[in-house]
Amino acid sequence: MQQSTDLLSEATRQLEVCNSCRYCEGFCAVFPALERQPEVVPAQIGYLANLCHDCRACYYACPFTEPHEFAINIPLLMANVRQDVYRRYTWPRLFAGVFQNGFRFALPLIAFGLALAAAALFALHPASDILTVRHGTGSFYQVLPWLLLVIPAMLLSLYALVVICIGGFRFWRDSRGLVAPPVDVRIFARAVVDVLRLRWLEGGGDGCYYPADRPSRLRTVFHSLVFYGFGLALLSTSVAALYQDVLGRFPPYPLLSVPVVAGTLGGLAMVFGCIGLALMKRQSAVRMADPSMTELDYAFLTVLGLASLTGLMTLALRDTALMGVMLSIHVGTLGALYLTIPYGKLIHPVYRGLAILRNRLDQQRDVEAASPDDRRHVGQGVA
Amino acid sequence: MAQVDVLVVGGGNAGLVAAMTAREAGASVVLLERGLEVSRGGNTRHTRDVRYAHAADEHTPGIYETAEFWSDLKRVAGSRPFSEELARLVIDGSRELPSWMHAHGVRWQPPLRGALNLARTNLFFLGGGKALVNAYYHSAIQSGVRVRYGATVVRLRFASRDCVGVQLENEQGVEELTARAIVVASGGFEANVGWLARYWGDAAHNYIIRGTPNNDGKVLASLLANGASPVGDPRAFHAVAVDARAPKFDGGIVTRVDSIPFGIVVNQSAQRFGDEGADLWPKRYASWGGLIASQPGQLAFSVFDSRAVGQFIPPMFHPYAANSIEDLGGMLGLDPATLCETVTNYNDSARGDGVLDISSLDNNHTESLDPPKSHWALPLAGPRFYAYPLRPGVTFTYMGVTVGPHARVRTLAGDEFTNVFAAGEVMAGNILSQGYLAGFGLTIGSVFGRIAGREAAAHAAVD
């Protein structure tokens, strides 16, 4: 699929203004990266757009935003390009349109997941048995058998992994640009730190200009809650798998076990993070937002928030008669989450992570090539 | 409404600094900004660094002491008169600027890679001038300054030496405000083409104004009409070469053309008219606005070849490009034969080692060519030839009002208005009436903004 020529020419138009200005170069990695390679080609803007964390500092600092005739709006441009990248690099490309229809894709999947879980619940249990209190080892699997849970989960994970890897591979192949990657652990370590602390969401230091025109760290906080909450949920699942398959200890686990503590903290973090991000998005300036990307964001926050919330509720109700119903609802929302992973916002860490890595590789190249005076730019002196 | 203590006219750097300073001194302050919220800040939006005197500090790679600052100022001022007393105030006052600015929300960034020559003398603010403007408006409003956008001051009303009324126009109509003290920080008059045309005739209509269209000098004119003492040559302006395709106003930095030292510049008759290699470009770029302004039609063309591509930061516009000088001349609407002759004459007179080094005064020069090109005179050999069309891009005008060391505006009679203070471009001509030092406008505006704010608040307190 080709990048639309309209988007490319608009990107060229705006980035040529940026390249001749360069006042924003201290805000983030995008503008120095633009200076490294000012030629605007699809792969290059795909890279810049994913390096952009939407901190919006550049918009408020720009003297050329509307009503100025140059109508510079880099956050919007970058969001448009990211949306385009998600579509262009997905597999199969038949599904590219899904990225522009976040809710129309996610909501039926939630309904589908819930319906499937309900069907399983009613197929496996007589109606009178559904509200039975279950205790002790294996009680979850009495409601929904282990294989019924694990096989779809494995298959869907594998599928998502394949789709994400294809996208990541295509993106890296196209946007690697300047780099012949040397294997240097320190560069990778720096890139990982950039990811973990959301360095490029700092707006040059004081925080991102989101939801309003003043720097704030709130978005970093909520994003981190989701990110690290997700990590804790993964930890919980992994340790549980270890307990079960290696140690032969079956769920439910005690309240003070690693799976329960990590899962609870992670679930709470994700619920609060999703709600926080959604509320901030509601207040944020729409003139810098791609509407289809906004929809994709809300769809993701909804699915992830529901999966987290129902997980917490399953834990809370696990010793009551509602456990079976709650577990089924949780499994249904998890199913929707798994299905949306490769065609939703959860792919953005892949492109962003690769862009951050390429940025660090390019920076290293700069350091190696640096001469004491950079003659290329000596003309531009004063304002 | 209770009488306001200090009324600040103009919401660029100087006005904002004055407003915050007066407010922090306890005065009630109203700031009248002609722009709307989105376009607030006047020409400050296009700035990005401030020159300041300093010992060794964490911001810069070396010291820049007052003596060196002083000699830099003397060098650009040349024989033009300027107030040594006020210049001293500015240079000494510049020392405190980084901490003051930081305390009011301005953040720093490492100097742009292209501005190495300024890394030692100037401090660059993160995100440039509009980010500074945003930080200042936020600080000012937080501290209790009342800001009114879209307020155009058209006239100051005087009774003897007192300003007794400030007339403004806004969407609601005409309004008159009074205040115990007035700070005028309304900039120059460079956006008033009619005013420029008084001195420059029709040529002024071909100038491009790099900054806000709001700087039409209404308040300056009102001050002068009421007996304020002018300062600075009314004809003088600071101008650089900008791309002729730039918008009439507010094109800022992105329309500036820095290709000149790499090639030759011709006028509409395809003739050269200036030494493109007279001195290092950062020292000469500001002379080209005036040079082009004196050419027929105020239009010229910077012609260069492939060797220069990538050697300078391009403006936002693409250069015209052709495979031969003839074709290029045709594209530019020049007589191709004359352009070829000009290029041939230039090429034939070029001498030197042929190694282009734009960062130092190299030995590539022309011999017996008039005008000469003193450095970087490499023949234009192609294979591709390029050109930017150039017009004068006016940055600011020098004429303003005379002030004393307390920023009070002086009168033609030799005394001062009792309650009118000035800061920024409207009084910068006291200190700089020709030439320019990068980032010095911000220095003058900031130091005199502080003086004007302090003195206006003090005046209001005893009035």
Side-chain angles (χ1 to χ4, degrees):
Chain A
M1 195 193 302
Q2 283 304 302
Q3 192 157 38
S4 86
T5 48
D6 285 355
L7 185 55
L8 186 60
S9 62
E10 177 61 7
T12 307
R13 186 189 76 76
Q14 290 199 35
L15 293 176
E16 281 176 350
V17 175
C18 292
N19 187 47
S20 55
C21 174
R22 308 189 172 185
Y23 282 23
C24 289
E25 127 181 312
F27 281 134
C28 67
V30 171
F31 297 99
L34 175 67
E35 288 164 36
R36 248 178 243 127
Q37 195 181 346
E39 300 77 27
V40 179
V41 293
Q44 168 74 350
I45 60 164
Y47 158 60
L48 295 178
N50 284 285
L51 192 54
C52 167
H53 285 42
D54 192 34
C55 84
R56 303 189 173 186
C58 66
Y59 181 87
Y60 292 104
C62 180
F64 305 121
T65 56
E66 282 186 316
H68 195 287
E69 63 186 271
F70 295 166
I72 299 302
N73 187 338
I74 296 302
L76 174 60
L77 174 71
M78 294 288 144
N80 290 335
V81 174
R82 281 193 295 272
Q83 167 68 245
D84 183 72
V85 162
Y86 297 171
R87 290 199 302 273
R88 270 193 305 143
Y89 292 121
T90 196
W91 180 88
R93 287 181 177 156
L94 188 66
F95 289 171
V98 166
F99 290 103
Q100 286 171 302
N101 295 284
F103 269 119
R104 260 171 287 177
F105 179 58
L107 290 180
L109 284 181
I110 296 173
F112 174 71
L114 290 175
L116 217 57
L121 186 66
F122 283 96
L124 294 167
H125 303 277
S128 59
D129 200 24
I130 284 171
L131 292 178
T132 304
V133 178
R134 294 180 172 83
H135 288 293
T137 301
S139 59
F140 291 153
Y141 298 139
Q142 289 167 20
V143 178
L144 295 171
W146 180 68
L147 280 180
L148 190 70
L149 297 176
V150 84
I151 290 176
M154 295 295 267
L155 288 176
L156 288 174
S157 304
L158 199 66
Y159 178 75
L161 197 66
V162 167
V163 174
I164 286 172
C165 285
I166 290 172
F169 173 78
R170 286 173 171 168
F171 176 76
W172 186 254
R173 178 196 62 197
D174 281 1
S175 70
R176 198 175 57 186
L178 303 171
V179 189
V183 183
D184 183 339
V185 177
R186 286 167 305 173
I187 295 173
F188 286 93
R190 276 182 223 134
V192 167
V193 171
D194 291 344
V195 170
L196 294 182
R197 62 175 272 205
L198 291 172
R199 183 191 301 272
W200 305 124
L201 197 55
E202 288 169 4
D206 289 346
C208 65
Y209 291 67
Y210 185 98
D213 61 352
R214 294 291 306 162
S216 154
R217 299 198 188 279
L218 212 51
R219 196 186 195 186
T220 301
V221 169
F222 286 130
H223 188 285
S224 297
L225 283 174
V226 173
F227 182 90
Y228 290 104
F230 196 83
L232 284 171
L234 281 181
L235 175 74
S236 166
T237 312
S238 311
V239 172
L242 206 69
Y243 279 4
Q244 180 175 312
D245 301 336
V246 179
L247 306 178
R249 290 173 55 195
F250 282 78
Y253 298 110
L255 287 179
L256 285 179
S257 63
V258 174
V260 174
V261 171
T264 307
L265 290 177
L268 285 170
M270 285 190 287
V271 168
F272 282 114
C274 287
I275 291 172
L277 286 176
L279 289 177
M280 286 187 86
K281 191 165 286 292
R282 273 193 53 172
Q283 296 168 31
S284 66
V286 291
R287 66 184 177 281
M288 281 167 269
D290 176 323
S292 62
M293 190 66 99
T294 303
E295 186 182 331
L296 203 64
D297 293 341
Y298 278 131
F300 167 65
L301 293 172
T302 305
V303 176
L304 186 67
L306 279 178
S308 310
L309 186 67
T310 55
L312 290 170
M313 287 170 69
T314 306
L315 173 69
L317 300 174
R318 71 181 186 178
D319 292 327
T320 75
L322 288 171
M323 184 272 273
V325 173
M326 205 58 240
L327 177 67
S328 303
I329 292 173
H330 179 49
V331 167
T333 56
L334 271 183
L337 178 65
Y338 276 96
L339 284 165
T340 52
I341 283 174
Y343 303 111
K345 193 67 183 199
L346 211 53
I347 60 163
H348 85 273
V350 178
Y351 298 123
R352 187 153 282 155
L354 289 172
I356 287 169
L357 176 61
R358 179 185 155 186
N359 176 60
R360 282 297 183 183
L361 290 166
D362 285 359
Q363 279 184 348
Q364 183 62 26
R365 217 185 60 119
D366 273 4
V367 170
E368 283 160 14
S371 63
D373 69 341
D374 189 355
R375 286 171 187 166
R376 213 171 88 73
H377 300 105
V378 85
Q380 180 105 338
V382 277
Chain B
M1 185 174 114
Q3 162 106 322
V4 63
D5 290 333
V6 177
L7 192 61
V8 179
V9 181
N13 173 63
L16 286 160
V17 171
M20 287 185 279
T21 305
R23 181 74 196 112
E24 286 158 20
S28 61
V29 181
V30 171
L31 176 81
L32 302 175
E33 162 60 18
R34 186 164 170 176
L36 302 176
E37 188 170 353
V38 64
S39 56
R40 66 190 180 186
N43 285 349
T44 303
R45 291 168 306 141
H46 296 297
T47 65
R48 75 173 165 209
D49 52 84
V50 60
R51 185 173 291 251
Y52 73 115
H54 55 272
D57 67 7
E58 73 269 36
H59 306 302
T60 53
I63 64 168
Y64 186 56
E65 273 304 343
T66 48
E68 188 183 354
F69 201 150
W70 184 252
S71 70
D72 282 346
L73 177 59
K74 293 280 264 193
R75 174 172 52 78
V76 298
S79 58
R80 288 267 184 187
F82 69 98
S83 165
E84 298 206 350
E85 181 189 16
L86 301 188
R88 288 277 177 211
L89 278 178
V90 170
I91 290 175
D92 291 341
S94 74
R95 292 182 164 278
E96 295 172 10
L97 289 181
S99 58
W100 194 92
M101 292 167 76
H102 193 270
H104 291 81
V106 179
R107 296 293 174 260
W108 314 122
Q109 73 171 38
L112 303 187
R113 273 183 289 168
L116 279 181
N117 56 312
L118 297 176
R120 185 172 61 84
T121 57
N122 290 39
L123 193 47
F124 287 71
F125 19 97
L126 183 67
K130 196 172 171 195
L132 172 140
V133 163
N134 291 340
Y136 277 176
Y137 272 96
H138 180 74
S139 291
I141 290 165
Q142 289 291 104
S143 73
V145 172
R146 275 170 291 157
V147 175
R148 293 182 54 178
Y149 297 111
T152 302
V153 173
V154 290
R155 207 159 73 87
L156 303 181
R157 212 156 49 72
F158 284 86
S160 179
R161 292 289 178 258
D162 298 323
C163 178
V164 294
V166 173
Q167 276 185 8
L168 64 93
E169 288 173 1
N170 55 24
E171 282 188 333
Q172 283 79 47
V174 182
E175 193 180 342
E176 180 157 316
L177 302 178
T178 60
R180 293 190 172 87
I182 319 291
V183 176
V184 175
S186 52
F189 64 92
E190 69 279 351
N192 189 331
V193 175
W195 194 339
L196 292 175
R198 275 187 233 161
Y199 314 116
W200 300 98
D202 285 344
H205 294 280
N206 290 327
Y207 300 165
I208 283 168
I209 314 304
R210 301 178 68 208
T212 175
N214 292 336
N215 277 11
D216 60 10
K218 277 195 171 76
V219 186
L220 172 62
S222 181
L223 279 173
L224 295 175
N226 283 283
S229 163
V231 69
D233 179 355
R235 294 169 55 89
F237 57 74
H238 177 279
V240 305
V242 298
D243 195 299
R245 295 162 290 184
K248 181 74 181 171
F249 295 102
D250 249 343
I253 190 77
V254 299
T255 61
R256 203 177 89 185
V257 177
D258 289 322
S259 60
I260 288 172
F262 296 94
I264 62 170
V265 178
V266 299
N267 59 20
Q268 283 183 289
S269 312
Q271 302 291 343
R272 289 178 61 248
F273 56 91
D275 183 348
E276 301 90 346
D279 201 346
L280 293 173
W281 182 239
K283 293 184 183 174
R284 291 299 293 169
Y285 79 103
S287 65
W288 280 90
L291 279 171
I292 297 161
S294 64
Q295 293 303 305
Q298 293 68 53
L299 186 63
F301 302 90
S302 166
V303 179
F304 56 96
D305 69 3
S306 308
R307 237 180 323 207
V309 173
Q311 300 274 323
F312 57 90
I313 295 182
M316 61 178 282
F317 304 97
H318 290 216
Y320 291 92
N323 287 324
S324 70
I325 292 289
E326 288 94 333
D327 291 350
L328 190 66
M331 291 172 88
L332 302 175
L334 302 177
D335 177 43
T338 315
L339 184 61
C340 282
E341 194 187 323
T342 300
V343 170
T344 306
N345 287 343
Y346 163 75
N347 285 354
D348 290 348
S349 69
R351 306 283 182 274
D353 62 13
V355 179
L356 182 67
D357 177 7
I358 206 71
S359 64
S360 70
L361 295 173
D362 71 2
N363 69 0
N364 296 295
H365 62 283
T366 57
E367 226 168 66
S368 51
L369 187 70
D370 184 39
K373 186 177 179 189
S374 305
H375 303 280
W376 315 299
L378 272 66
L380 295 177
R384 290 277 275 175
F385 299 95
Y386 302 91
Y388 287 111
L390 308 175
R391 283 204 185 279
V394 181
T395 320
F396 58 83
T397 45
Y398 287 97
M399 181 178 65
V401 292
T402 310
V403 297
H406 298 292
R408 269 198 176 78
V409 177
R410 291 195 163 155
T411 70
L412 285 168
D415 58 354
E416 293 178 339
F417 291 117
T418 54
N419 65 341
V420 182
F421 304 81
E425 260 351 310
V426 75
M427 50 65 65
N430 290 274
I431 294 148
L432 197 67
S433 57
Q434 76 165 14
Y436 191 60
L437 289 172
F440 194 43
L442 252 287
T443 314
I444 297 172
S446 306
V447 173
F448 262 89
R450 293 186 70 193
I451 295 172
R454 187 183 70 218
E455 296 298 330
H459 177 81
V462 299
D463 183 41

